[in-house]
Amino acid sequence: MILTSLWLCTLLAAVPGTATASEQQKPLAAQQKPIKAGNTLSKSLVNTDKLQDSIKIENLVSRAKELYSIAHLSEPEYGHPTRVIGSEGHSGTLEYIYSALESLGGYYTLSKQPFPAVLGKVYESRLVIGHEVPESASPMSLTPPTANREPVYGDLVLVENEGCDASDYPANVTGNIAFILRGTCPFGTKSELAGKAGAVAAIVYNYESGGVSGTLENPTPNHVATFGLSGKEAGPIVQKLKEGKVVDSIAYIDSEVKQIQTTNIIAQTVEGDPDNCVMLGGHSDSVSEGPGINDDGSGSLTLLEVATQLTNFTVNNCVRFAWWAGEEEGLLGSDYYVEVLPKEENQKIRLFMDYDMMGSPNFAYQVYNATNAVNPVGSEQLRDLYVDWYTKQGLNYTFIPFDGRSDYDAFIRNGIPGGGIATGAEGVKTKEEEVMFGGRAGEWYDPCYHQLCDDLGNVNSTAWLINTKLVAHSVATFALSFEGFPERSDAVTMDAYEKPVTYHGHRLVL
C-alpha cells in the first residue's frame, strides 16, 4: 500500500504562569465547551506566543469529557468503559477526531490509513507450581490459550542457556512445561521454540527479582501458552531443578488472539512547504482495562486542540498530525505508517515529535534524552527546544530514556530525528522529583496507569495545560522555520539500535 502524502507544519507558543511545585499538583476541573478556531479572511503567519495563548484548559477538559463518554460505548462488550482497538469506544474515538478535523474549513488534507492489527485478550489464567500459586505469574500479552482452553499438566523442564536456540531445549520438554530464563532473544522466540520442541506451555522467569510482564508480539502457529515469573519466585525452583528434583506444574490460559482492521488518522496542512514537514503524533487507543483519558487521551486531545487553533494562522512549512491506532498492542499504527512510507516521503519529514501522557496526576516534566550521538541527527536539537522552553518558564524538567516505549520508535529506526515529552507512567517519583515538581515521592507518576480509574479525575490540569502550550510551541517553531536545524541525511548512525531494545511499546519484548 502506498500512503497518500500528507504533511503538516505549524508554529505554536504561549507563556504559562508559574506556580510552586505543590500548587501545580491539582485535580482536573473545568467546564466550558471547546472554543472553535476563528475563520478570519486574512490570517497572520504563525506566532508561537499567540498560538500558546490560544490554548485554554476549558477546551481540553471539554474534549476529555466527550472522550470519556465515548469510552462508555464499549460497556456492552467489556463491562466497563474502554477505547481499546476493535471496540466501539475506539471506533467512536476515531469518528470524533475525524469529524472535528473535517469541521476546520479545509485547512487540512485528511487521510484514514487502515491496517491489519493483532488484538489479544486473556479472559482467565492460573499457574500452579508444585503446591504453590506464584503471586508474580502473569500471562504474556498475545499468548495463545492452553490446549482446548483447559489446564495442562507437566513437569517443569529447565531449558539451557536462555532458550534462544532449538538446541537449548532438552528432549524431555516434549509434553512438559518449558522453564526458560529471560534474556538475549524476544519472548516470542522462546515461546515458539518451546512449542516446536513439543512443550505444552512455557514459563519465562526473570534474571532480576521483579516480575516479567511482556508480549510475544507477532503470533505464530508454534507459540504456546506463556507466562512470565519473577526472579524471586523462580530462584528456589531453579535450584530444585538443578539438583535433579521433580517439580510439577499446572498451567491454564483462556485467551484469544485475532487479527482485526483498525485505522490511523493523518491530517496535513494544505499550506506550507510539502518537502519540509514537521510531524507529531499521539495514540488514539487505550488498553482494554480502562478508558485511557490520560493514556493517551491527553496526548491525542492536545494534538486535536493545537490542530484546531493552528487554523487561525498560516505556515511556511507543512505540519502533519497523526493519531496512531494500536499503540497499546505494540506500536502497531506508527510501525505500519513508517514501514509503507516511500523513501522520498521519508526524507520530507524533518522530525517527528511524540506526545503520550501529557497530564499524569503525580507528574514530572519529562523530556526524552534523545542525543545525536545515538539517534538521527536533529533529535538533540529537538530535545534542547523542550529544555529551553521549560527553562524560560522557570519550570524544572528531567530526562527520561529514549528506549522504544512509544511511537517515536519506528521513526528513529528509519533515520527520522525524533523526541518528545511525557509526564510519567508506572515509574516511581523520587524524593528529588517531589521537591522539583510537587506531588508524592514513592508513588507512581500515574497511579491509574492502564487501569479502570484512568478517567476524568486522572488528569492534572496544570501539567496538561503547560505541556499543551509546549506542544504548540514545538509546532509553531518548526512550522515557521527550520533555520539552524540539521538537514536530513541518508547516512544515519544509530548506535543505540545496534542491539535489540528491551521495550517495544509499554511491554517488554525480551
Side-chain angles (χ1 to χ4, degrees):
M1 169 180 178
I2 300 299
L3 176 64
T4 302
S5 176
L6 294 174
W7 310 103
L8 251 149
C9 296
T10 54
L11 175 59
L12 311 169
V15 181
T18 60
T20 65
S22 60
E23 287 172 340
Q24 292 176 11
Q25 299 286 342
K26 298 177 181 179
L28 181 69
Q31 307 81 13
Q32 303 175 11
K33 293 183 177 180
I35 301 169
K36 293 185 178 180
N39 189 22
T40 56
L41 295 177
S42 178
K43 299 177 182 179
S44 61
L45 185 62
V46 65
N47 174 281
T48 185
D49 292 331
K50 290 181 179 179
L51 184 57
Q52 291 180 64
D53 286 341
S54 71
I55 304 300
K56 308 298 181 185
I57 189 59
E58 53 265 30
N59 293 355
L60 294 170
V61 173
S62 180
R63 293 189 186 280
K65 290 179 178 178
E66 292 187 69
L67 197 64
Y68 187 53
S69 178
I70 290 169
H72 282 275
L73 296 173
S74 298
E75 284 188 326
E77 180 179 1
Y78 287 84
H80 59 263
T82 181
R83 298 183 301 106
V84 67
I85 58 169
S87 70
E88 291 298 322
H90 187 243
S91 296
T93 299
L94 296 176
E95 291 172 8
Y96 170 71
I97 293 170
Y98 198 85
S99 176
L101 293 167
E102 275 189 319
S103 72
L104 297 178
Y107 188 86
Y108 297 101
T109 300
L110 305 181
S111 174
K112 294 180 180 179
Q113 184 189 33
F115 65 94
V118 177
L119 179 64
K121 295 181 185 179
V122 175
Y123 300 104
E124 192 175 10
S125 68
R126 188 173 180 83
L127 179 65
V128 180
I129 298 178
H131 300 291
E132 304 292 332
V133 178
E135 294 182 1
S136 66
S138 174
M140 293 279 182
S141 175
L142 299 180
T143 178
T146 46
N148 301 316
R149 291 182 164 80
E150 296 289 340
V152 294
Y153 304 83
D155 294 336
L156 294 186
V157 176
L158 190 62
V159 172
E160 295 179 12
N161 302 312
E162 293 174 340
C164 296
D165 190 273
S167 62
D168 293 335
Y169 293 79
N172 65 334
V173 79
T174 301
N176 286 308
I177 297 174
F179 204 58
I180 313 167
L181 176 63
R182 173 191 170 197
T184 306
C185 62
F187 300 133
T189 299
K190 298 175 190 289
S191 181
E192 182 174 25
L193 289 172
K196 287 182 176 179
V200 296
I203 301 169
V204 179
Y205 64 92
N206 208 347
Y207 49 74
E208 299 173 334
S209 61
V212 178
S213 178
T215 178
L216 302 186
E217 293 195 286
N218 300 323
T220 76
N222 292 305
H223 278 168
V224 292
T226 305
F227 285 89
L229 188 68
S230 72
K232 180 179 179 180
E233 291 192 290
I237 299 168
V238 172
Q239 186 61 37
K240 289 180 180 179
L241 293 174
K242 287 183 175 180
E243 293 172 354
K245 297 179 180 178
V246 175
V247 180
D248 58 11
S249 181
I250 304 171
Y252 166 58
I253 295 177
D254 180 9
S255 65
E256 179 184 24
V257 179
K258 63 181 180 180
Q259 189 173 89
I260 63 170
Q261 285 283 317
T262 189
T263 303
N264 292 327
I265 294 175
I266 312 296
Q268 179 177 315
T269 51
V270 173
E271 294 184 342
D273 180 359
D275 293 328
N276 287 279
C277 289
V278 52
M279 188 169 186
L280 62 160
H283 65 88
S284 60
D285 61 314
S286 74
V287 293
S288 61
E289 289 84 354
I293 301 305
N294 184 40
D295 183 15
D296 182 32
S298 61
S300 57
L301 295 180
T302 283
L303 263 65
L304 189 58
E305 185 61 20
V306 170
T308 299
Q309 299 305 330
L310 184 62
T311 63
N312 293 304
F313 303 91
T314 62
V315 295
N316 289 332
N317 298 317
C318 88
V319 182
R320 179 180 293 183
F321 293 83
W323 287 265
W324 311 119
E327 190 272 354
E328 298 290 8
E329 307 304 319
L331 313 183
L332 303 181
S334 54
D335 279 356
Y336 182 81
Y337 176 86
V338 178
E339 180 184 353
V340 302
L341 195 66
K343 182 178 179 180
E344 61 272 19
E345 295 299 335
N346 175 305
Q347 287 292 313
K348 294 176 183 179
I349 303 174
R350 297 294 299 275
L351 77 164
F352 174 75
M353 304 180 293
D354 184 68
Y355 297 122
D356 191 353
M357 301 180 68
M358 297 290 98
S360 297
N362 195 28
F363 69 86
Y365 293 124
Q366 300 176 338
V367 179
Y368 288 120
N369 192 18
T371 64
N372 289 343
V374 292
N375 295 288
V377 174
S379 300
E380 190 166 328
Q381 282 78 3
L382 175 59
R383 182 200 70 177
D384 292 346
L385 176 143
Y386 299 131
V387 168
D388 292 345
W389 190 89
Y390 281 130
T391 301
K392 185 177 180 181
Q393 314 311 316
L395 298 169
N396 294 314
Y397 64 89
T398 186
F399 288 131
I400 57 173
F402 201 45
D403 58 3
R405 284 198 60 163
S406 199
D407 286 306
Y408 56 79
D409 186 67
F411 289 86
I412 60 175
R413 284 180 179 275
N414 287 273
I416 299 170
I421 57 173
T423 53
E426 82 280 27
V428 176
K429 176 171 278 187
T430 66
K431 288 283 189 182
E432 181 183 10
E433 289 174 330
E434 182 181 76
V435 174
M436 295 170 66
F437 306 107
R440 300 168 300 280
E443 297 185 15
W444 286 9
Y445 301 109
D446 183 351
C448 288
Y449 177 65
H450 286 182
Q451 299 171 59
L452 182 59
C453 56
D454 187 5
D455 54 22
L456 290 171
N458 193 50
V459 185
N460 182 284
S461 58
T462 299
W464 196 11
L465 177 61
I466 285 174
N467 280 331
T468 301
K469 287 177 179 287
L470 175 49
V471 173
H473 174 62
S474 68
V475 172
T477 298
F478 297 114
L480 182 65
S481 174
F482 280 109
E483 182 178 357
F485 194 83
E487 295 286 341
R488 284 292 308 278
S489 171
D490 286 330
V492 178
T493 300
M494 292 171 287
D495 295 337
Y497 288 91
E498 289 181 357
K499 60 182 181 180
V501 294
T502 304
Y503 286 92
H504 190 62
H506 67 91
R507 292 187 183 274
L508 291 168
V509 295
L510 60 81

